Amino acid sequence: MTVASGSVAFCGLHLAHPIVNGSGTFDVVAARRTFGDAVLRAPGIDGPGSGFPFAAFVSKTITLERRDGNPPPRLYEAPTGLINSIGLPNKGLAGYLAHDLPELARLPVPLITNVMGSSADELCALVEALDARDEVDALELNVSCPNVDTGLDIGADPRELRAVLRQVRPRTAKPLIVKLTPNTADVAAVAQAAQDAGADAVALINTLRAYAPHPRRPGAAWLGNATGGLSGPAIRAVALAQVRDVAARVTIPIVGMGGVQTGRHAADMLEVGATLVAVGTESFRDPAAGTRISRELDELFANSGQKAT
Amino acid sequence: MTVASGSVAFCGLHLAHPIVNGSGTFDVVAARRTFGDAVLRAPGIDGPGSGFPFAAFVSKTITLERRDGNPPPRLYEAPTGLINSIGLPNKGLAGYLAHDLPELARLPVPLITNVMGSSADELCALVEALDARDEVDALELNVSCPNVDTGLDIGADPRELRAVLRQVRPRTAKPLIVKLTPNTADVAAVAQAAQDAGADAVALINTLRAYAPHPRRPGAAWLGNATGGLSGPAIRAVALAQVRDVAARVTIPIVGMGGVQTGRHAADMLEVGATLVAVGTESFRDPAAGTRISRELDELFANSGQKAT
Amino acid sequence: MSLSEPRTLAPFGRRMLAVAERRELGAYVVLAADDPGGPIPRAGQFYMLAAEREWGGRDDGRPFLPRAFSVLRARAAGPAEGAAGPAEDAAGPRLEFMLEAVGPGTERLCELRPGEGLHVTGPLGIGFPDPPDARRALLCGGGVGTAPLAIWQDELLAGGQPAPALLGFRDAAHAPGATLLQNARVATDDGSHGHHGLVTDLLDAELDADDHVVVYACGPPPMLEAVRALCEARGVPSRLALESGMACGFGACFGCVVALRDGGYARLCVDGPVLDGALLAEVPAP
Amino acid sequence: MSLSEPRTLAPFGRRMLAVAERRELGAYVVLAADDPGGPIPRAGQFYMLAAEREWGGRDDGRPFLPRAFSVLRARAAGPAEGAAGPAEDAAGPRLEFMLEAVGPGTERLCELRPGEGLHVTGPLGIGFPDPPDARRALLCGGGVGTAPLAIWQDELLAGGQPAPALLGFRDAAHAPGATLLQNARVATDDGSHGHHGLVTDLLDAELDADDHVVVYACGPPPMLEAVRALCEARGVPSRLALESGMACGFGACFGCVVALRDGGYARLCVDGPVLDGALLAEVPAP
Ligand SMILES: Cc1cc2nc3c(=O)[nH]c(=O)nc-3n(C[C@H](O)[C@H](O)[C@H](O)COP(=O)(O)OP(=O)(O)OC[C@H]3O[C@@H](n4cnc5c(N)ncnc54)[C@H](O)[C@@H]3O)c2cc1C
Ligand SMILES: Cc1cc2nc3c(=O)[nH]c(=O)nc-3n(C[C@H](O)[C@H](O)[C@H](O)COP(=O)(O)OP(=O)(O)OC[C@H]3O[C@@H](n4cnc5c(N)ncnc54)[C@H](O)[C@@H]3O)c2cc1C
Ligand SMILES: Cc1cc2nc3c(=O)[nH]c(=O)nc-3n(C[C@H](O)[C@H](O)[C@H](O)COP(=O)(O)O)c2cc1C
Ligand SMILES: Cc1cc2nc3c(=O)[nH]c(=O)nc-3n(C[C@H](O)[C@H](O)[C@H](O)COP(=O)(O)O)c2cc1C
Ligand code: FES
Ligand code: FES
């Protein structure tokens, strides 16, 4: 499979390069408090490597109601990975619209807002409210969540997902991305259901369900919420397999993620069928990882281009 | 949860300690060719740390017909893990009975024979043939396999597994362990189905479906079979979560495995609800890892015992 | 972003420095690295550090994430030293950190030798605010919690404010940490050095003598909790430099939270690490 | 288990040795470690090696698994040297390995310094069998494939059999590998040393002169395939020491297979690494 570098068309959006962030792994407001306005500027304007590291920004998951998140500890370092049980803290839809959106509107790149709901009704309410906002360029549905109406994980079962999406899809004309859960028997079947029900793209993988034992208290859980999700290099091979499986089944574009740390990893993700590549955990190790990875990707393509001619 | 060291009762078998091998990760015949008869002797007989490293031996997966396995490359080193696409090479049932069983009968520990079939009929034939052999102390069903009759992975869906087990279970009075697949939405539901249909124990986790990109040829797969399974430390936190989920649902004993490298890891597995702990990939790094891990586990219990008194 | 926050903005992204010096101070290691062009941090701010090489591959493949360290000192240094004008800014500071090896990350960092590469992101977080209401500053710390108090004492003394310090250490091997501050009174758990007992014994006595103070504290959670409770009981304001497990250090992961008295959580890396003790119902045990 | 297999059994489990010596030989590193109480390996057998420390944490967290290395030499050495009786067995051999840094595992091993810990499992696999039909031994190797030929030549010469060697190397930086054997004729890809071209050119000429030989070969797959094909074409028996990716080295993982001419696969770690060239339709490209 041949993959191209440079600017990318994705669901009608034009992105400068294929690297975006994984939802919940970059906070624009906090980054601005820490690094100043430089982080909000267009890439390259202040010199090579400067500016916002991603070609689009994906917000963390927004829910209808405000959530404080899980009790700490929320983090555990696993072999070449991170287990988190953050618990989706967010200001709720109203708080997001009032406080975050004005800040996010200053971003030099398109904004994708990620939402989660525990029923089709909740999701419809979220999607409708965000559809009304011009600052939002696309929506991402985080379906790693049990449906309170049926008890099933919305994203774990093709039928369940199809049923929910049939209700949600008509509520917006904006591009709708479905962020799949990897904790399922046949992710390609779920992706197919998303496509059938009108999704414009799928994103994967989310974290793998994981447990962290307490380092000092035998038998006790370390995380405040007992279980969490595994991300980082440890899951990269699983992510590549799932993206590849999905690419073999659907025609809509794929946002591939999971353990991407370098341009080579991003290229691997593109080569198995992703259109965009999201960087999550690696941004924790290096806040500007997105910039580095997109540069490395460029260099890879430049080199292979030279080799090919 | 309190867990005990020393000898363990498991499905009517009495094991000297809780450490066994993961199916397909230790070949007794090849080990004897490499290390001599010492490896077959009872633990400790030739001095501390000597002898067979496991309290019971689990054979690699046996199928009805002989299989050569997948084309190489079959191995890929991932971040703190191993991806394999071995493809279950084995001599087939007849070859196993004729050639392997006589060798395995010399083992100083109980023998658990692991089998896989692509239909209930195939599984029934395997189970009946092995039920007739006194050398076999228990059977393990590897259900990470599509059912040719229904197209569904036998172990990925509770209904599917229940239906197959209802036919297979009556064919043997020996203990029947179901080795679950981790690539499923709700492993506890599958374990529950196994228990409902008469399984005496469940074993988990098998490897996570994974893809390895070719290190030198962009876009090409490294493994001869393109995809494989991820094992080792990278998956330990996932294994702990699944064992814990299953333990919360079933009452039958659990053989826990996935990335266990030390006595501490084995203790973690026991503490989330396993009765036995299987060691797979770590035996590749150290052939006698089983012996070391069971010793470390003893030491942990001895120390915590001292602390408690 | 409040302009009055004691926060120096960090250059975006991580940068590679070279270790300039490594010295042992009892059981601690002090690591220094020149940060050419880097900003001058505020006392109480921290950096995320990772070794360039061999970051990983120890127990359980760790360390994987960078580790947080308070800046111990940040002095003008390097090639432009002695140059005219704002030399500090041009040359960038020599950053110093005080480390104790407690796990794979700190063990690896403590092994670093001059010339080896150090990934650095920072300065991060909010440092110590000035004393309120013309109160006298009283520094109270323990173990590696000494580090942020050292740079804060420098700053207070330079501003003409007295800044007496009370420091607690485990034993005589750790007590040399006290030499990082001026005129510190020391307590050790085993009585091998200074007062035999807790540093909060010293704090209690000090507050008896004069409680028109603000207590700046950093140290192990049980000590910080004792300081917080003592200050609360006596109506003395406290500014606590807290710790928690961090993945990113810049507000991205929402992992480093501490529960607030009035509900909800604060991220220590962007809302701290220095918090007003009054915001907390307790300093959580680790 | 065939009694006539050139195989020394390994002690069960991995053991920890200390690196006794490290020397550079052109672009190669020769690592030596005393193996107290260890058995004497046969030429062509191999060991799985891993560094005690920092095995992991490089590119992609690798290395994780141990790595396979042919024994280059195994000489009596250590404390019991010169003692009466079967000194070699009592003291155990000094094992030598010839390494080329090509990735994270070999890079780490090449960094090891005397005194550092080395995990060792072995000797493993089946070594070189004696020449059949009173044929003359002809050794043909390239790169690190030189290693097993060196110990094999020692053994043949000690047994009074001539064992001329033809060795191919990339360039002058690698050619010093030839000094590990006696009287080796060398070819280099770049012509900087010896014959300008492939070692199989030398082999071809040698077989023209006398083909009542058995060719013992080890080297990169394309070279081995050329040797295999040449020998097959000329009806000369070949014994090839092959390589493949290995996880365990003792037949446990079924990962190291090579396809056989008559169908099916052989595990190189228990059925090889030395195979009769006639068993293969080709030596697979890496
Ligand atoms: C703002 C701030 C400033 C700091 N300043 C300093 C300083 O100046 N000097 C200094 O020496 N230290 C300082 N620390 C503490 C320092 O960051 C930690 O000691 C360091 O992160 C420990 O890493 P480690 O790998 O050595 O140990 P770890 O093994 O990470 O152990 C540290 C603690 O983390 C927990 N833990 C154990 N295993 C895991 C795991 N797998 N995943 C998650 N948590 C685990 C345990 O509670 C353990 O006690 C500071 C911390 C913060 C937040
Ligand atoms: C029986 C035997 C004897 C040997 N004897 C010697 C010897 O005497 N001296 C010597 O120097 N070498 C010897 N080798 C080769 C040596 O084992 C390898 O060079 C070594 O394993 C490479 O490890 P590495 O980590 O340095 O490189 P790797 O990165 O593992 O690269 C080695 C090759 O493995 C493949 N590869 C790349 N990435 C991966 C991955 N992630 N997973 C799996 N494969 C990958 C590629 O084909 C690459 O070229 C022998 C091998 C065998 C099997
Ligand atoms: C700390 C943390 C928080 C996350 N929060 C969210 C979230 O709010 N919504 C979401 O859809 N995914 C969330 N994720 C998942 C990531 O977006 C991503 O799918 C996953 O981490 C895999 O990518 P990585 O290995 O590059 O981190 C989070 C991941 C981490 C590590
Ligand atoms: C090389 C290899 C071969 C395996 N073969 C089998 C097999 O034949 N049958 C089976 O049920 N599981 C097989 N497994 C899975 C292991 O038994 C085990 O479930 C898995 O590797 C997780 O444990 P670990 O991380 O300790 O290796 C195999 C694993 C590996 C690495
Ligand atoms: S450490 Fe990531 S939010 Fe604070
Ligand atoms: S390396 Fe494992 S079977 Fe050969």
Side-chain angles (χ1 to χ4, degrees):
Chain A
M1 178 170 305
T2 348
V3 289
S5 164
S7 83
V8 190
F10 174 77
C11 299
L13 306 176
H14 292 279
L15 309 188
H17 56 77
I19 307 298
V20 302
N21 67 299
S23 171
T25 63
F26 201 91
D27 182 315
V28 168
V29 178
R32 198 177 143 237
R33 282 177 68 194
T34 304
F35 303 113
D37 285 337
V39 80
L40 294 191
R41 282 202 273 277
I45 279 205
D46 298 332
S50 73
F52 194 67
F54 305 110
F57 177 71
V58 184
S59 81
K60 69 169 155 337
T61 294
I62 309 302
T63 51
L64 211 46
E65 302 302 327
R66 173 200 162 84
R67 291 169 62 110
D68 286 334
N70 291 331
R74 292 179 173 184
L75 301 171
Y76 185 83
E77 194 177 56
T80 62
L82 169 67
I83 306 179
N84 84 78
S85 72
I86 307 298
L88 306 176
N90 75 94
K91 303 192 180 91
L93 177 63
Y96 178 77
L97 296 176
H99 302 293
D100 291 351
L101 216 42
E103 287 259 11
L104 296 174
R106 301 175 49 185
L107 280 172
V109 298
L111 171 64
I112 301 172
T113 298
N114 177 302
V115 297
M116 190 181 84
S118 54
S119 67
D121 285 351
E122 250 185 68
L123 280 169
C124 287
L126 284 157
V127 165
E128 274 178 359
L130 290 162
D131 182 67
R133 299 294 295 248
D134 286 343
E135 302 94 322
V136 177
D137 296 291
L139 291 168
E140 181 170 277
L141 257 52
N142 175 355
V143 295
S144 303
C145 175
N147 188 334
V148 288
D149 298 333
T150 66
L152 295 173
D153 249 31
I154 297 178
D157 184 83
R159 284 164 301 245
E160 189 71 18
L161 179 62
R162 201 180 285 110
V164 167
L165 277 186
R166 288 243 162 88
Q167 294 184 60
V168 176
R169 169 73 272 191
R171 310 302 169 113
T172 182
K174 295 192 201 279
L176 191 65
I177 307 162
V178 176
K179 172 100 175 251
L180 304 169
T181 168
N183 304 300
T184 183
D186 184 355
V187 70
V190 181
Q192 174 78 59
Q195 172 171 301
D196 293 348
D200 297 299
V202 287
L204 70 160
I205 67 175
N206 212 317
T207 56
L208 298 180
R209 195 172 149 71
Y211 175 83
H214 197 292
R216 286 178 305 269
R217 286 184 223 138
W222 169 253
L223 298 171
N225 192 43
T227 59
L230 179 63
S231 64
I235 69 167
R236 191 187 323 124
V238 174
L240 287 169
Q242 294 206 356
V243 168
R244 191 168 173 274
D245 286 347
V246 168
R249 194 81 75 87
V250 303
T251 54
I252 53 178
I254 299 170
V255 187
M257 72 195 92
V260 171
Q261 300 185 286
T262 65
R264 179 68 255 159
H265 299 157
D268 290 340
M269 212 42 106
L270 296 174
E271 278 150 5
V272 295
T275 297
L276 300 183
V277 176
V279 174
T281 305
E282 185 65 5
S283 293
F284 302 161
R285 292 164 31 106
D286 176 4
T291 302
R292 172 177 55 79
I293 292 170
S294 70
R295 189 194 63 232
E296 289 168 353
L297 192 60
D298 266 352
E299 288 164 3
L300 270 181
F301 288 128
N303 290 340
S304 68
Q306 277 158 17
K307 268 190 207 136
T309 54
Chain B
M1 179 169 304
T2 346
V3 290
S5 162
S7 84
V8 190
F10 174 78
C11 299
L13 305 177
H14 292 280
L15 309 187
H17 58 77
I19 306 299
V20 301
N21 67 298
S23 172
T25 64
F26 201 91
D27 181 315
V28 168
V29 179
R32 197 175 145 238
R33 282 177 68 194
T34 304
F35 303 114
D37 285 337
V39 80
L40 293 190
R41 283 202 273 277
I45 279 207
D46 298 333
S50 73
F52 195 68
F54 306 110
F57 178 71
V58 185
S59 80
K60 67 169 157 333
T61 294
I62 309 302
T63 51
L64 211 47
E65 302 301 327
R66 173 202 162 83
R67 291 168 62 109
D68 286 334
N70 291 332
R74 292 179 172 184
L75 301 170
Y76 186 83
E77 195 177 56
T80 64
L82 168 67
I83 306 179
N84 84 79
S85 72
I86 306 299
L88 306 176
N90 75 96
K91 305 193 180 90
L93 177 62
Y96 179 77
L97 296 176
H99 302 293
D100 291 352
L101 215 43
E103 287 259 11
L104 295 174
R106 300 176 50 185
L107 280 173
V109 298
L111 171 65
I112 301 171
T113 298
N114 177 302
V115 298
M116 191 182 84
S118 54
S119 67
D121 286 350
E122 249 186 68
L123 281 168
C124 288
L126 285 157
V127 166
E128 274 178 359
L130 291 161
D131 182 65
R133 297 297 293 250
D134 286 343
E135 302 94 321
V136 177
D137 296 291
L139 291 167
E140 181 169 276
L141 256 55
N142 175 354
V143 295
S144 302
C145 175
N147 188 334
V148 288
D149 298 333
T150 66
L152 293 174
D153 249 30
I154 297 178
D157 184 83
R159 283 165 301 245
E160 187 72 18
L161 179 62
R162 201 180 284 112
V164 168
L165 277 185
R166 289 242 161 89
Q167 293 185 63
V168 176
R169 169 73 272 192
R171 310 300 169 115
T172 182
K174 294 191 201 283
L176 191 66
I177 308 162
V178 176
K179 171 100 176 252
L180 304 169
T181 168
N183 304 300
T184 182
D186 183 355
V187 70
V190 182
Q192 174 77 61
Q195 172 170 302
D196 293 349
D200 297 299
V202 286
L204 69 160
I205 66 173
N206 212 319
T207 56
L208 298 181
R209 195 173 151 72
Y211 175 84
H214 197 293
R216 286 179 305 270
R217 286 185 223 135
W222 169 252
L223 298 171
N225 192 43
T227 58
L230 179 63
S231 64
I235 69 167
R236 191 186 322 125
V238 174
L240 287 169
Q242 293 207 356
V243 169
R244 190 168 174 274
D245 286 348
V246 168
R249 194 79 76 88
V250 303
T251 55
I252 52 177
I254 298 170
V255 188
M257 72 195 92
V260 171
Q261 300 185 285
T262 66
R264 180 67 257 158
H265 299 156
D268 290 340
M269 215 37 110
L270 296 175
E271 279 150 4
V272 295
T275 295
L276 301 182
V277 176
V279 174
T281 304
E282 185 64 7
S283 293
F284 302 161
R285 293 166 30 107
D286 175 6
T291 303
R292 172 177 55 77
I293 291 170
S294 71
R295 188 194 62 233
E296 289 169 354
L297 193 59
D298 267 352
E299 288 164 4
L300 270 181
F301 288 128
N303 289 341
S304 66
Q306 277 157 18
K307 267 189 209 139
T309 53
Chain C
M1 182 169 21
S2 149
L3 274 180
S4 64
E5 271 177 17
R7 175 202 290 277
T8 296
L9 295 179
F12 182 49
R14 82 178 177 191
R15 54 199 184 278
M16 177 88 81
L17 309 185
V19 172
E21 194 194 328
R22 173 196 189 275
R23 61 178 197 273
E24 291 175 16
L25 192 69
Y28 302 106
V29 168
V30 173
L31 221 54
D34 294 322
D35 185 12
I40 309 291
R42 301 293 301 261
Q45 285 194 292
F46 67 99
Y47 290 73
M48 297 298 281
L49 305 184
E52 177 193 13
R53 292 188 32 139
E54 293 160 28
W55 195 251
R58 296 183 181 233
D59 258 15
D60 267 352
R62 301 169 68 215
F64 168 62
L65 298 160
R67 300 294 195 256
F69 297 91
S70 302
V71 61
L72 164 66
R73 276 194 168 98
R75 294 194 241 243
E81 201 171 8
E88 294 188 16
D89 281 295
R94 166 164 294 198
L95 303 174
E96 289 191 352
F97 303 98
M98 175 193 188
L99 278 64
E100 181 174 14
V102 300
T106 47
E107 277 160 19
R108 175 69 189 109
L109 291 168
C110 284
E111 281 172 14
L112 284 176
R113 291 293 180 278
E116 293 197 82
L118 185 69
H119 286 300
V120 159
T121 305
L124 302 168
I126 307 175
F128 292 115
D130 286 333
D133 317 323
R135 285 175 179 265
R136 190 170 60 89
L138 181 56
L139 314 186
C140 183
V144 292
T146 301
L149 300 179
I151 176 172
W152 187 221
Q153 190 189 50
D154 289 352
E155 217 172 291
L156 289 166
L157 294 179
Q161 306 184 52
L166 314 172
L167 296 174
F169 294 96
R170 217 165 308 153
D171 50 30
H174 292 79
T179 61
L180 292 166
L181 276 84
Q182 292 182 29
N183 303 319
R185 289 181 53 206
V186 172
T188 50
D189 298 351
D190 65 357
S192 58
H193 199 94
H195 170 70
H196 185 175
L198 300 175
V199 68
T200 40
D201 302 341
L202 303 180
L203 177 62
D204 211 14
E206 199 74 20
L207 294 181
D208 281 344
D210 172 9
D211 67 1
H212 192 64
V213 299
V214 48
V215 177
Y216 294 99
C218 187
M223 188 214 95
L224 277 190
E225 170 54 15
V227 170
R228 187 204 62 77
L230 194 63
C231 290
E232 181 176 72
R234 289 171 164 269
V236 169
S238 63
R239 304 287 179 262
L240 312 178
L242 296 163
E243 283 188 14
S244 67
M246 293 189 172
C248 71
F250 65 102
C253 74
F254 280 75
C256 60
V257 295
V258 61
L260 299 179
R261 183 192 290 267
D262 295 338
Y265 299 101
R267 278 170 292 176
L268 281 186
C269 70
V270 280
D271 300 321
V274 177
L275 289 185
D276 183 340
L279 293 172
L280 304 173
E282 63 165 351
V283 175
Chain D
M1 181 171 22
S2 150
L3 275 180
S4 64
E5 270 178 17
R7 175 201 291 278
T8 296
L9 295 180
F12 182 48
R14 80 177 178 190
R15 53 199 185 278
M16 176 89 81
L17 309 184
V19 172
E21 194 194 329
R22 173 196 190 277
R23 60 176 198 274
E24 290 174 17
L25 193 70
Y28 302 106
V29 168
V30 173
L31 221 53
D34 294 323
D35 185 13
I40 309 291
R42 302 293 301 263
Q45 285 194 290
F46 68 98
Y47 290 72
M48 297 298 281
L49 305 185
E52 178 193 12
R53 291 186 34 137
E54 292 159 29
W55 195 250
R58 295 180 182 236
D59 256 16
D60 266 351
R62 301 169 68 215
F64 167 63
L65 299 160
R67 299 295 195 257
F69 297 91
S70 301
V71 61
L72 164 65
R73 274 193 170 100
R75 294 194 241 246
E81 201 171 9
E88 294 187 16
D89 280 296
R94 166 165 293 199
L95 302 174
E96 289 192 352
F97 302 98
M98 176 192 188
L99 278 64
E100 182 175 13
V102 300
T106 46
E107 276 162 18
R108 175 68 188 109
L109 290 169
C110 284
E111 280 173 15
L112 283 176
R113 290 294 180 275
E116 293 197 82
L118 184 68
H119 286 300
V120 159
T121 304
L124 302 168
I126 307 176
F128 293 116
D130 286 333
D133 317 322
R135 284 175 180 263
R136 191 169 60 88
L138 181 56
L139 314 186
C140 182
V144 291
T146 300
L149 300 179
I151 176 171
W152 187 221
Q153 190 190 49
D154 288 351
E155 218 173 290
L156 289 166
L157 294 179
Q161 304 185 53
L166 315 172
L167 297 175
F169 295 95
R170 217 167 307 154
D171 50 30
H174 292 80
T179 61
L180 292 166
L181 276 84
Q182 293 183 29
N183 302 320
R185 291 180 53 205
V186 171
T188 48
D189 298 351
D190 65 356
S192 58
H193 198 94
H195 170 71
H196 185 176
L198 300 176
V199 68
T200 40
D201 301 341
L202 302 179
L203 176 62
D204 210 14
E206 199 73 19
L207 294 181
D208 281 344
D210 172 11
D211 67 1
H212 191 64
V213 299
V214 48
V215 176
Y216 295 99
C218 187
M223 188 214 97
L224 277 190
E225 170 55 15
V227 170
R228 188 205 61 77
L230 195 62
C231 290
E232 182 177 71
R234 289 169 162 271
V236 169
S238 63
R239 304 288 179 261
L240 312 178
L242 296 163
E243 283 188 13
S244 68
M246 292 189 172
C248 72
F250 65 103
C253 74
F254 281 75
C256 60
V257 295
V258 60
L260 299 180
R261 183 192 289 266
D262 295 338
Y265 299 101
R267 278 171 292 177
L268 281 186
C269 70
V270 280
D271 300 321
V274 178
L275 289 184
D276 182 340
L279 293 172
L280 304 173
E282 65 164 350
V283 175

